[in-house]
Amino acid sequence: MHDFMLHRPTRLLFGEGQIARIAEEIPEYARLMITYGGGSIKQNGVLEQVYRALDGRFHVEFGGIEPNPSYQTLCRAIDLAREEGVDFILAVGGGSVIDGTKFIAGALRYDGDPWDIVAKRQRLVFDAVPFGCVLTLPATGSEFNEGAVISRPETGDKLDFHSPNVIPRFSVLDPTTTYSLPPRQIANGVVDTFVHTTEQYLTYPVDAKLQDRFAEGLLLTLIEDGPRALEEPENYSVRANIMWAATMALSGYIGSGVPHDWASHMIGHELTALHGIDHAQSLAVVLPSLLRLTREAKRAKLLQYAERVWNLREGSEEQRIDAAIEATRGFFERMGMPTRLSGHGLDGSGIPTIVDKLVEHGMVALGEHRDITPDISRQILENAI
Amino acid sequence: MHDFMLHRPTRLLFGEGQIARIAEEIPEYARLMITYGGGSIKQNGVLEQVYRALDGRFHVEFGGIEPNPSYQTLCRAIDLAREEGVDFILAVGGGSVIDGTKFIAGALRYDGDPWDIVAKRQRLVFDAVPFGCVLTLPATGSEFNEGAVISRPETGDKLDFHSPNVIPRFSVLDPTTTYSLPPRQIANGVVDTFVHTTEQYLTYPVDAKLQDRFAEGLLLTLIEDGPRALEEPENYSVRANIMWAATMALSGYIGSGVPHDWASHMIGHELTALHGIDHAQSLAVVLPSLLRLTREAKRAKLLQYAERVWNLREGSEEQRIDAAIEATRGFFERMGMPTRLSGHGLDGSGIPTIVDKLVEHGMVALGEHRDITPDISRQILENAI
């Protein structure tokens, strides 16, 4: 096991009706800003529950944070927050709203050009406005970690930043807020959570037995309850398991003390930036192809994955690895997710541009061994056509 | 899954040499008290590492906190801390030192009789002196939770208290600090961790898939690496897995959202209080007998445990449950732990006293169904002779 430091001070409030408790979590005289996305929280009653909990307290609102939150939109939120003297933020939404809120919170206490926070690839956020979350879309784990991903569509950039100062003070996880999500968003959340887990698990063994077993527990839970989340949208238990899995997958509890990959994410981010396909859809395309190309480096963990997650115990090592990769592909497809570029109507002509963007963003040595060069990224994408 | 609130703000520093980082975690001008136990940290170099990290900073020391930390000893520590104006504590040791330190920290900010904190069975600790830990004995999980158990040998009391204000600020987990532990203490730690897990797992199903898988991951890790921890005392990986398992088992991450039992602990505490056998030894005696007597109420989870932890898939339900309970007993015995009172030279003549003490302490409706009456506790103990 590698050394690690783990600190997750977020207060997690899990269960139906927990939104009612946010008033205890937000300072009474805060100058509060509520951030949200496209307005679905107005239709499904979540914003109504937030208002009821706040019971007339001061707040301003900033809606319209889009999927893959854009720098331009967030700058408008920063301006509004400055004008209103905002000193606490409540993010109500999924990973994009929470990631955007992390950027707003950090930028409000950062003196330079806010774009530096992501562009300079350094840890520049030494302070941030405190914020809490009401999660409505289980997927990114942003509600319980220190990372965020910000996009700038006009330049085709999609970049992450990390800071211990943007860990939420609290996060409300009420599985019933996910009942009204469209199937595509549930599928995205399940696949995103699955790939978050494999990025921290399908690398090479370091005898971190508990992290491995926890990762396998996450994957098995998603395989069992992911399809049921599509079939039975109001099954509380199923939605609760999916929501808790999404939070735990990127919480640090499976990722501490082990090597990380993240190549699928880095390549996938460029796919999303160029072609606009959903984040999880990009992962479902990249991961199976990546696993095939990196099978030697990942051999021991792929065999463990085959046995413990897919119960594949027969046949040669090659056969078990092939079967595990195909089972992964089959799971994504069962979640309604194409696993090839052609499934998204793409013919691969964008691949050179994607590879150029990887190089531009410094993503020239990806994966747990830092050996996924731009040329290998290109092969991964070509094999995924 | 049941509703829950989970908050674990402790900074965890895991790995060899992490003691060197405590100076960053303790305020520079703190009036620091270092608490420890019988002095083994002087022999194994841990206290030396602490001194080196503190580099001449002010501190007072309080040693001699015994296993099952006694009220009388802790009162002396409270007096010393008051005299010295202590405002930060560093606990260096195992669960007893940390539990004792939690009591000291809470009592220093409590106006009434300190014994109230445990005796009144209420949450009286609204404030506490901040403290951190250097863990040297993986077992109780106290380094990452809000509970503590305090004893008063002269009255035969052993009682717990809980408060969010006694969660450590930080905990250093360096597996090499455990190399010099006697085998009995390693065995105690592994068995204690195992039973912490079963107390939160072997109850009844609430479809909390992830908590179940995480609990099973803990049990499998202990079964694989527990005996190796005895055989290969300086195997870093093995000690790291055991240490991390102990911390995670009582961290709230497997226990949130699920029913809890804790009857083995409550009965075991009385066994320890009366006969002085080690805490984990008391659990190894009580648990197998308790599982036999509560098999109907625990049937579904016992079958799941048989299959997923012990790979028992053949035979009738009764046979699989019997085999799982015997496998549990076999594991404890492989750890060098008697699983009957007779193994500790006890003939059962103390059982009426133990049952009286349970009644005196209000432990009259134990277990996840609150149906373990004093009479059933008596049967559990009688069947364990």
Side-chain angles (χ1 to χ4, degrees), chain A residues 65-97:
Chain A
I65 298 176
E66 56 279 89
N68 304 307
S70 87
Y71 177 62
Q72 203 181 18
T73 302
L74 300 175
C75 283
R76 286 192 288 111
I78 293 163
D79 290 343
L80 174 67
R82 286 230 165 90
E83 276 162 32
E84 297 285 351
V86 163
D87 56 16
F88 204 101
I89 311 177
L90 179 67
V92 185
S96 295
V97 172

Side-chain angles (χ1 to χ4, degrees), chain B residues 30-71:
Chain B
R31 293 194 60 87
L32 177 68
M33 180 160 80
I34 300 175
T35 50
Y36 55 90
S40 62
I41 58 163
K42 290 179 183 168
Q43 274 99 60
N44 65 10
V46 169
L47 193 58
E48 180 68 36
Q49 287 183 63
V50 168
Y51 289 150
R52 214 177 309 135
L54 291 175
D55 194 23
R57 286 198 202 169
F58 172 85
H59 66 271
V60 293
E61 288 183 21
F62 184 86
I65 298 176
E66 57 280 89
N68 304 306
S70 86
Y71 177 62

Side-chain angles (χ1 to χ4, degrees), chain A residues 30-241:
Chain A
R31 291 195 61 86
L32 178 69
M33 181 161 80
I34 300 173
T35 51
Y36 55 90
S40 62
I41 58 163
K42 291 180 183 167
Q43 274 100 59
N44 65 11
V46 169
L47 193 59
E48 180 67 36
Q49 287 183 63
V50 168
Y51 289 149
R52 213 176 310 136
L54 291 175
D55 194 24
R57 287 199 202 169
F58 172 86
H59 67 272
V60 294
E61 287 184 21
F62 185 86
I65 298 176
E66 56 279 89
N68 304 307
S70 87
Y71 177 62
Q72 203 181 18
T73 302
L74 300 175
C75 283
R76 286 192 288 111
I78 293 163
D79 290 343
L80 174 67
R82 286 230 165 90
E83 276 162 32
E84 297 285 351
V86 163
D87 56 16
F88 204 101
I89 311 177
L90 179 67
V92 185
S96 295
V97 172
I98 300 171
D99 280 11
T101 300
K102 288 178 177 179
F103 186 80
I104 298 164
L108 281 171
R109 298 271 171 90
Y110 179 72
D111 280 337
D113 176 358
W115 186 244
D116 291 351
I117 291 172
V118 289
K120 288 208 171 165
R121 318 300 304 147
Q122 293 162 356
R123 292 194 165 226
L124 295 173
V125 178
F126 302 114
D127 192 12
V129 168
F131 68 97
C133 306
V134 172
L135 182 69
T136 60
L137 199 171
T140 71
S142 190
E143 65 280 5
F144 195 44
N145 67 35
E146 55 178 46
V149 184
I150 306 303
S151 295
R152 201 166 180 174
E154 68 275 23
T155 55
D157 291 313
K158 181 173 178 179
L159 295 166
D160 59 316
F161 77 100
H162 298 259
S163 166
N165 300 304
V166 295
I167 295 182
R169 297 295 172 100
F170 66 87
S171 286
V172 174
L173 289 81
D174 177 345
T176 67
T177 64
T178 74
Y179 287 175
S180 57
L181 285 171
R184 173 167 146 183
Q185 293 206 32
I186 284 291
N188 280 348
V190 168
V191 170
D192 198 15
T193 303
F194 194 96
V195 182
H196 287 159
T197 307
T198 61
E199 298 275 29
Q200 304 168 85
Y201 167 67
L202 285 177
T203 58
Y204 54 87
V206 294
D207 195 20
K209 289 191 165 65
L210 209 54
Q211 289 90 327
D212 279 4
R213 295 279 187 193
F214 282 11
E216 290 149 4
L218 277 160
L219 299 174
L220 287 162
T221 298
L222 294 165
I223 292 164
E224 286 170 14
D225 273 2
R228 289 183 68 195
L230 293 177
E231 291 152 17
E232 308 163 39
E234 304 208 356
N235 183 324
Y236 181 84
S237 269
V238 167
R239 292 293 169 114
N241 285 328

Side-chain angles (χ1 to χ4, degrees), chain B residues 227-250:
Chain B
R228 290 183 68 195
L230 293 178
E231 292 151 16
E232 308 163 39
E234 303 208 356
N235 183 323
Y236 181 84
S237 270
V238 167
R239 291 294 169 114
N241 286 328
I242 293 298
M243 195 168 221
W244 187 225
T247 298
M248 286 308 293
L250 213 47

Side-chain angles (χ1 to χ4, degrees), chain B residues 173-190:
Chain B
L173 289 81
D174 177 345
T176 68
T177 63
T178 73
Y179 287 175
S180 57
L181 286 172
R184 173 168 146 183
Q185 293 205 31
I186 284 291
N188 280 348
V190 169

